[in-house]
Amino acid sequence: MRILVSNDDGIDAPGIARLTEAARRASEDVWVVAPDRKHTAAGPSLTIAQPMTMEKRGDRRFACSGRPADCVVAAFAWLFENDRKPDLVLSGINDGRNVAEDLAYSGTLGIAREATFWGVPAIGFSQVKNPEITDEGELWLSAFIGKLWDKRAQWAAQGHWLSVNLPTRLPAEVRQPVIGRDKIASKAEVVETDGDRTVIIVPRGRPHTSIEGDENSMIDTGFVTVNRLNWFGGTRLEDALVAGL
């Protein structure tokens, strides 16, 4: 099995090192293509008609000057252009949970989304900040990836991918939550004003809004959460409405 690992926190982030090690317990054919720096809320955006630099950082390890989803494009369209494509794409482990509206904003999940365009199963991993890292937990994570791979026929339908949130401590039981609301980028702070010119900044952080059964409530209780997502995102209009337009 050939595995491609990427992230949105940058190639030198601790999370991608953990995910790469977990992948290597499952396969001897693991490749890393990740951004050369951190990208927050980059979503699935791509760099088109602009140069990108690919820097080899070691054996099967490349840094990309583009955005997170660019790393998947660079891997499939350039690195593996004349070679066997990856069988599985793993993204993360993101430094912080990805819940609610993050499903649209997240660069971690943007990577997984892009992988599905190439017909490849993909899983985005995120974890609360300042987790407890133990050998037992790391072994559990590797086994969990193996289980998801073995059961891919049950979740990896065309255009679908998984979003996994890890709590503070592993091992943990797994639950499927409802998708809540907990919007980042919900306020702006004025940094400077000068006549008609105003400089603002949108700070990091989230309100931690939660309802019973959503991702936040389950993660905070200590569960691993799994949601299956898809990029189709359409809800069919009533035929009568369309006919009357």
Short mmCIF file of all heavy atoms in Angstrom, two decimals, residues 192-228:
data_model
loop_
_atom_site.label_atom_id
_atom_site.label_comp_id
_atom_site.label_asym_id
_atom_site.label_seq_id
_atom_site.Cartn_x
_atom_site.Cartn_y
_atom_site.Cartn_z
N GLU A 192 -5.57 49.67 13.31
CA GLU A 192 -5.10 51.02 12.97
C GLU A 192 -6.15 51.72 12.12
O GLU A 192 -6.81 51.08 11.29
CB GLU A 192 -3.78 50.93 12.20
CG GLU A 192 -3.19 52.24 11.75
CD GLU A 192 -1.95 52.05 10.90
OE1 GLU A 192 -1.36 50.95 10.96
OE2 GLU A 192 -1.59 52.99 10.17
N THR A 193 -6.35 52.99 12.33
CA THR A 193 -7.21 53.80 11.47
C THR A 193 -6.47 55.06 11.06
O THR A 193 -5.76 55.67 11.87
CB THR A 193 -8.52 54.19 12.19
OG1 THR A 193 -8.21 54.91 13.39
CG2 THR A 193 -9.36 52.97 12.52
N ASP A 194 -6.67 55.44 9.80
CA ASP A 194 -6.02 56.64 9.27
C ASP A 194 -6.90 57.18 8.14
O ASP A 194 -6.75 56.80 6.98
CB ASP A 194 -4.62 56.30 8.75
CG ASP A 194 -3.90 57.52 8.20
OD1 ASP A 194 -4.37 58.65 8.43
OD2 ASP A 194 -2.85 57.35 7.53
N GLY A 195 -7.85 58.03 8.50
CA GLY A 195 -8.76 58.56 7.50
C GLY A 195 -9.65 57.47 6.93
O GLY A 195 -10.37 56.78 7.65
N ASP A 196 -9.59 57.31 5.61
CA ASP A 196 -10.39 56.29 4.95
C ASP A 196 -9.77 54.90 5.02
O ASP A 196 -10.34 53.93 4.52
CB ASP A 196 -10.60 56.66 3.47
CG ASP A 196 -11.47 57.89 3.30
OD1 ASP A 196 -12.29 58.16 4.20
OD2 ASP A 196 -11.32 58.58 2.28
N ARG A 197 -8.62 54.79 5.64
CA ARG A 197 -7.89 53.53 5.70
C ARG A 197 -8.02 52.93 7.08
O ARG A 197 -7.71 53.58 8.09
CB ARG A 197 -6.42 53.76 5.36
CG ARG A 197 -5.53 52.53 5.44
CD ARG A 197 -4.12 52.88 4.99
NE ARG A 197 -3.21 51.77 5.18
CZ ARG A 197 -2.52 51.53 6.31
NH1 ARG A 197 -2.67 52.35 7.35
NH2 ARG A 197 -1.71 50.50 6.40
N THR A 198 -8.49 51.67 7.15
CA THR A 198 -8.63 50.95 8.41
C THR A 198 -7.95 49.59 8.29
O THR A 198 -8.18 48.86 7.33
CB THR A 198 -10.11 50.74 8.78
OG1 THR A 198 -10.75 52.01 8.89
CG2 THR A 198 -10.24 50.00 10.10
N VAL A 199 -7.11 49.27 9.25
CA VAL A 199 -6.45 47.97 9.29
C VAL A 199 -7.13 47.12 10.36
O VAL A 199 -7.27 47.56 11.52
CB VAL A 199 -4.95 48.11 9.61
CG1 VAL A 199 -4.29 46.73 9.66
CG2 VAL A 199 -4.26 49.00 8.58
N ILE A 200 -7.60 45.95 9.98
CA ILE A 200 -8.23 45.04 10.93
C ILE A 200 -7.50 43.72 10.96
O ILE A 200 -6.75 43.39 10.03
CB ILE A 200 -9.72 44.81 10.60
CG1 ILE A 200 -9.86 44.05 9.26
CG2 ILE A 200 -10.49 46.13 10.55
CD1 ILE A 200 -11.28 43.59 8.95
N ILE A 201 -7.74 42.96 12.00
CA ILE A 201 -7.22 41.61 12.08
C ILE A 201 -8.33 40.71 12.62
O ILE A 201 -9.08 41.10 13.52
CB ILE A 201 -5.97 41.53 12.99
CG1 ILE A 201 -5.35 40.13 12.94
CG2 ILE A 201 -6.29 41.92 14.42
CD1 ILE A 201 -3.98 40.03 13.59
N VAL A 202 -8.46 39.52 12.03
CA VAL A 202 -9.39 38.51 12.52
C VAL A 202 -8.60 37.56 13.41
O VAL A 202 -7.71 36.85 12.92
CB VAL A 202 -10.06 37.76 11.36
CG1 VAL A 202 -10.96 36.66 11.90
CG2 VAL A 202 -10.85 38.72 10.48
N PRO A 203 -8.85 37.56 14.71
CA PRO A 203 -8.02 36.76 15.63
C PRO A 203 -8.32 35.27 15.54
O PRO A 203 -9.36 34.85 15.04
CB PRO A 203 -8.40 37.32 17.01
CG PRO A 203 -9.80 37.81 16.83
CD PRO A 203 -9.89 38.32 15.43
N ARG A 204 -7.37 34.49 16.05
CA ARG A 204 -7.58 33.06 16.15
C ARG A 204 -8.60 32.76 17.25
O ARG A 204 -8.98 33.63 18.03
CB ARG A 204 -6.26 32.36 16.49
CG ARG A 204 -5.23 32.39 15.37
CD ARG A 204 -3.97 31.64 15.79
NE ARG A 204 -2.98 31.65 14.73
CZ ARG A 204 -2.91 30.77 13.76
NH1 ARG A 204 -3.80 29.78 13.72
NH2 ARG A 204 -1.98 30.84 12.84
N GLY A 205 -9.00 31.52 17.31
CA GLY A 205 -9.89 31.09 18.38
C GLY A 205 -11.32 30.90 17.92
O GLY A 205 -11.71 31.33 16.83
N ARG A 206 -12.09 30.25 18.76
CA ARG A 206 -13.47 29.94 18.47
C ARG A 206 -14.28 30.10 19.75
O ARG A 206 -13.73 30.06 20.86
CB ARG A 206 -13.60 28.51 17.93
CG ARG A 206 -13.19 27.45 18.91
CD ARG A 206 -13.46 26.03 18.40
NE ARG A 206 -12.55 25.65 17.32
CZ ARG A 206 -12.92 25.52 16.06
NH1 ARG A 206 -14.18 25.75 15.70
NH2 ARG A 206 -12.07 25.17 15.13
N PRO A 207 -15.60 30.29 19.64
CA PRO A 207 -16.41 30.46 20.85
C PRO A 207 -16.65 29.18 21.63
O PRO A 207 -17.13 29.22 22.75
CB PRO A 207 -17.74 31.01 20.29
CG PRO A 207 -17.79 30.53 18.88
CD PRO A 207 -16.36 30.52 18.41
N HIS A 208 -16.33 28.02 21.04
CA HIS A 208 -16.59 26.71 21.65
C HIS A 208 -18.07 26.50 21.94
O HIS A 208 -18.47 25.97 22.98
CB HIS A 208 -15.75 26.52 22.92
CG HIS A 208 -14.30 26.24 22.62
ND1 HIS A 208 -13.83 25.00 22.26
CD2 HIS A 208 -13.22 27.07 22.58
CE1 HIS A 208 -12.54 25.06 22.03
NE2 HIS A 208 -12.14 26.31 22.21
N THR A 209 -18.88 26.93 20.99
CA THR A 209 -20.31 26.66 21.04
C THR A 209 -20.54 25.16 20.91
O THR A 209 -19.86 24.49 20.12
CB THR A 209 -21.02 27.39 19.89
OG1 THR A 209 -20.72 28.78 19.97
CG2 THR A 209 -22.52 27.19 19.95
N SER A 210 -21.49 24.62 21.67
CA SER A 210 -21.70 23.18 21.62
C SER A 210 -23.13 22.84 21.98
O SER A 210 -23.77 23.53 22.78
CB SER A 210 -20.74 22.48 22.59
OG SER A 210 -20.89 21.08 22.53
N ILE A 211 -23.64 21.78 21.36
CA ILE A 211 -24.91 21.18 21.73
C ILE A 211 -24.67 19.70 21.99
O ILE A 211 -23.68 19.13 21.52
CB ILE A 211 -25.99 21.37 20.64
CG1 ILE A 211 -25.54 20.70 19.33
CG2 ILE A 211 -26.31 22.83 20.43
CD1 ILE A 211 -26.62 20.68 18.26
N GLU A 212 -25.57 19.07 22.70
CA GLU A 212 -25.41 17.65 23.02
C GLU A 212 -25.35 16.82 21.75
O GLU A 212 -26.18 16.96 20.86
CB GLU A 212 -26.58 17.16 23.88
CG GLU A 212 -26.41 15.72 24.35
CD GLU A 212 -27.53 15.28 25.25
OE1 GLU A 212 -28.39 16.11 25.60
OE2 GLU A 212 -27.55 14.08 25.61
N GLY A 213 -24.32 15.99 21.66
CA GLY A 213 -24.17 15.09 20.53
C GLY A 213 -23.36 15.64 19.38
O GLY A 213 -23.12 14.91 18.41
N ASP A 214 -22.91 16.91 19.46
CA ASP A 214 -22.09 17.43 18.37
C ASP A 214 -20.62 17.10 18.60
O ASP A 214 -20.24 16.47 19.60
CB ASP A 214 -22.32 18.93 18.16
CG ASP A 214 -21.71 19.80 19.26
OD1 ASP A 214 -21.12 19.27 20.22
OD2 ASP A 214 -21.83 21.04 19.16
N GLU A 215 -19.78 17.52 17.64
CA GLU A 215 -18.36 17.15 17.71
C GLU A 215 -17.71 17.67 18.99
O GLU A 215 -17.00 16.93 19.69
CB GLU A 215 -17.59 17.72 16.51
CG GLU A 215 -18.23 17.46 15.16
CD GLU A 215 -18.85 18.74 14.61
OE1 GLU A 215 -19.67 19.34 15.31
OE2 GLU A 215 -18.51 19.11 13.46
N ASN A 216 -17.94 18.95 19.33
CA ASN A 216 -17.30 19.51 20.52
C ASN A 216 -17.67 18.75 21.78
O ASN A 216 -16.80 18.44 22.61
CB ASN A 216 -17.69 20.99 20.67
CG ASN A 216 -16.84 21.90 19.81
OD1 ASN A 216 -15.71 21.58 19.46
ND2 ASN A 216 -17.39 23.05 19.46
N SER A 217 -18.94 18.42 21.94
CA SER A 217 -19.37 17.74 23.16
C SER A 217 -18.73 16.37 23.27
O SER A 217 -18.32 15.96 24.37
CB SER A 217 -20.90 17.63 23.20
OG SER A 217 -21.38 16.72 22.22
N MET A 218 -18.61 15.66 22.16
CA MET A 218 -18.05 14.32 22.21
C MET A 218 -16.52 14.33 22.37
O MET A 218 -15.96 13.52 23.11
CB MET A 218 -18.44 13.54 20.95
CG MET A 218 -19.91 13.19 20.92
SD MET A 218 -20.30 12.00 19.62
CE MET A 218 -22.04 11.69 19.99
N ILE A 219 -15.86 15.27 21.69
CA ILE A 219 -14.40 15.38 21.85
C ILE A 219 -14.06 15.74 23.29
O ILE A 219 -13.14 15.17 23.90
CB ILE A 219 -13.84 16.43 20.87
CG1 ILE A 219 -14.04 15.99 19.43
CG2 ILE A 219 -12.36 16.69 21.15
CD1 ILE A 219 -13.84 17.10 18.41
N ASP A 220 -14.81 16.70 23.85
CA ASP A 220 -14.54 17.13 25.22
C ASP A 220 -14.83 16.04 26.24
O ASP A 220 -14.28 16.04 27.34
CB ASP A 220 -15.36 18.39 25.54
CG ASP A 220 -14.89 19.61 24.78
OD1 ASP A 220 -13.75 19.58 24.28
OD2 ASP A 220 -15.66 20.58 24.66
N THR A 221 -15.71 15.10 25.89
CA THR A 221 -16.01 13.97 26.76
C THR A 221 -14.94 12.89 26.65
O THR A 221 -14.88 11.97 27.49
CB THR A 221 -17.39 13.38 26.42
OG1 THR A 221 -18.36 14.44 26.48
CG2 THR A 221 -17.81 12.31 27.39
N GLY A 222 -14.08 12.97 25.63
CA GLY A 222 -12.99 12.02 25.49
C GLY A 222 -13.13 11.02 24.38
O GLY A 222 -12.35 10.07 24.29
N PHE A 223 -14.11 11.22 23.49
CA PHE A 223 -14.31 10.31 22.38
C PHE A 223 -13.53 10.75 21.15
O PHE A 223 -13.31 11.95 20.93
CB PHE A 223 -15.79 10.23 21.99
CG PHE A 223 -16.66 9.60 23.03
CD1 PHE A 223 -17.64 10.35 23.69
CD2 PHE A 223 -16.53 8.25 23.36
CE1 PHE A 223 -18.45 9.77 24.65
CE2 PHE A 223 -17.35 7.66 24.31
CZ PHE A 223 -18.30 8.43 24.97
N VAL A 224 -13.12 9.77 20.34
CA VAL A 224 -12.70 10.03 18.96
C VAL A 224 -13.97 10.20 18.14
O VAL A 224 -14.90 9.41 18.27
CB VAL A 224 -11.86 8.85 18.41
CG1 VAL A 224 -11.58 9.05 16.92
CG2 VAL A 224 -10.57 8.71 19.18
N THR A 225 -14.02 11.23 17.29
CA THR A 225 -15.21 11.42 16.45
C THR A 225 -14.85 11.19 14.99
O THR A 225 -13.76 11.53 14.54
CB THR A 225 -15.81 12.83 16.61
OG1 THR A 225 -14.90 13.81 16.09
CG2 THR A 225 -16.13 13.12 18.06
N VAL A 226 -15.80 10.59 14.27
CA VAL A 226 -15.63 10.32 12.85
C VAL A 226 -16.87 10.80 12.10
O VAL A 226 -18.00 10.46 12.47
CB VAL A 226 -15.43 8.81 12.57
CG1 VAL A 226 -15.29 8.56 11.07
CG2 VAL A 226 -14.22 8.28 13.31
N ASN A 227 -16.65 11.61 11.07
CA ASN A 227 -17.73 12.01 10.17
C ASN A 227 -17.32 11.71 8.73
O ASN A 227 -16.15 11.91 8.37
CB ASN A 227 -18.02 13.51 10.28
CG ASN A 227 -18.75 13.88 11.55
OD1 ASN A 227 -18.15 14.42 12.48
ND2 ASN A 227 -20.04 13.58 11.60
N ARG A 228 -18.26 11.21 7.95
CA ARG A 228 -18.02 11.03 6.52
C ARG A 228 -18.59 12.24 5.78
O ARG A 228 -19.74 12.60 5.96
CB ARG A 228 -18.65 9.74 5.99
CG ARG A 228 -18.30 9.52 4.51
CD ARG A 228 -18.62 8.14 4.03
NE ARG A 228 -20.04 7.91 3.86
CZ ARG A 228 -20.55 6.97 3.05
NH1 ARG A 228 -19.74 6.17 2.36
NH2 ARG A 228 -21.85 6.80 2.95
#
